[in-house]
Amino acid sequence: MLDFAIDTAYRAGVILRAGLERERQIDSKGQSDFVTDVDRASEDMIVSAIRSRYPSHRILAEESGQVADVGDYTWLIDPLDGTTNYMHRFPWFAVSIGLLHKHELVLGVVYDPSRDQLFAAERGSGARCNGRRISVSSTTSLGAALLTTGFSYDRFTRPDNNLDHFARILLMAQDVRRPGSAALDLCGIAAGQIDGHWELRLSPWDTAAGVAILIEAGGQASDMQGQPWTPWSPHIVATNGCFHNELITALNQ
């Protein structure tokens, strides 16, 4: 299944790269929330491949929702994580494919076609980038940490829009970035390039694959109260594990 997910992610990456070179159809799902014809083409290919290879598996995809409702396995798909970046040709977007077996993460694949970096992990087998083993950083404190975060599409209308967290943590950490793809942010922690990430109101397809990779690289993920993360947790805090509780405390001040 991991080999299948890797091959499918590479094929989706070809679609994303090709879409950058032409005029794209863009539809609005809400303020600052968009979908392109490339999102749909990538998702259609991934869903078709899964249904052909594993017809008994469930599929939960960003654009088409739940495609099947039977079976113990569930694929969580984001065909283009970082659509706004993609629309502007800002090179921080990815294909994200995660797999659950009876609610437990068993594998994750995230492919960054801009850098040709493929992150992959299978439960109990470690995490890799382009076949090479990766692990989290050894940063031990929030004050020495480079963090990432993100802002939800409904930030214009909700009071809990992460701006207060951002303002507070920016003055407590070494620095904070906002790249725009949660899947790649989580992989950045797994690879030791980023020390932690927090974000509000994410969907299962945003985080499943990235968390699978993060955990296998030695990292930690929870909700904002420090409870165990699940794909249906609306908020996420992810770190290398060394200062996780410190970040949780700071976010809840």
Side-chain angles (χ1 to χ4, degrees):
M1 289 183 187
L2 180 61
D3 289 342
F4 166 79
I6 289 172
D7 177 68
T8 304
Y10 274 129
R11 291 169 59 196
V14 171
I15 294 173
L16 301 191
R17 279 195 297 268
L20 285 172
E21 306 304 321
R22 61 172 176 79
E23 195 71 26
R24 284 148 288 152
Q25 177 184 332
I26 300 171
D27 297 319
S28 174
K29 296 191 288 184
Q31 189 172 9
S32 197
D33 187 6
F34 302 95
V35 60
T36 72
D37 55 337
V38 180
D39 290 73
R40 296 189 177 101
S42 175
E43 183 169 303
D44 288 348
M45 186 281 296
I46 297 170
V47 169
S48 177
I50 294 171
R51 297 188 75 179
S52 176
R53 183 73 170 269
Y54 303 109
S56 66
H57 289 192
R58 301 171 185 249
I59 302 171
L60 182 60
E62 179 176 16
E63 304 307 333
S64 53
Q66 188 160 290
V67 177
D69 58 2
V70 296
D72 292 332
Y73 286 95
T74 304
W75 295 88
L76 302 173
I77 301 164
D78 193 336
L80 173 48
D81 186 45
T83 296
T84 301
N85 288 347
Y86 185 83
M87 287 164 46
H88 292 271
R89 294 185 173 89
F90 183 77
W92 192 262
F93 53 85
V95 180
S96 178
I97 302 174
L99 179 64
L100 303 176
H101 179 246
K102 295 181 177 180
H103 307 294
E104 290 190 19
L105 275 173
V106 293
L107 66 82
V109 172
V110 175
Y111 180 49
D112 175 355
S114 298
R115 297 168 181 80
D116 194 25
Q117 289 187 330
L118 186 132
F119 299 88
E122 188 175 14
R123 187 173 58 187
S125 299
R128 289 171 170 78
C129 177
N130 291 351
R132 302 183 68 174
R133 194 73 173 257
I134 56 174
S135 61
V136 296
S137 72
S138 57
T139 302
T140 58
S141 68
L142 177 58
L146 176 65
L147 306 179
T148 54
T149 190
F151 298 91
S152 61
Y153 295 121
D154 59 2
R155 63 186 179 273
F156 304 97
T157 56
R158 293 185 64 116
D160 56 335
N161 56 13
N162 196 30
L163 288 175
D164 55 345
H165 295 307
F166 181 79
R168 183 184 312 118
I169 302 302
L170 183 62
L171 298 179
M172 300 177 72
Q174 188 173 87
D175 216 332
V176 180
R177 303 285 186 260
R178 191 268 197 262
S181 166
L184 284 180
D185 294 339
L186 294 168
C187 289
I189 305 172
Q193 302 161 344
I194 301 166
D195 301 308
H197 178 86
W198 84 92
E199 194 163 347
L200 309 183
R201 289 189 298 284
L202 290 167
S203 299
W205 48 78
D206 294 317
T207 51
V211 169
I213 295 162
L214 170 68
I215 297 301
E216 287 299 316
Q220 182 177 352
S222 73
D223 66 12
M224 293 281 281
Q225 283 68 50
Q227 297 302 306
W229 174 92
T230 78
W232 288 269
S233 300
H235 312 322
I236 189 170
V237 179
T239 69
N240 62 6
C242 298
F243 60 94
H244 198 89
N245 290 339
E246 186 182 2
L247 180 56
I248 291 284
T249 300
L251 289 167
N252 284 285
Q253 286 178 356

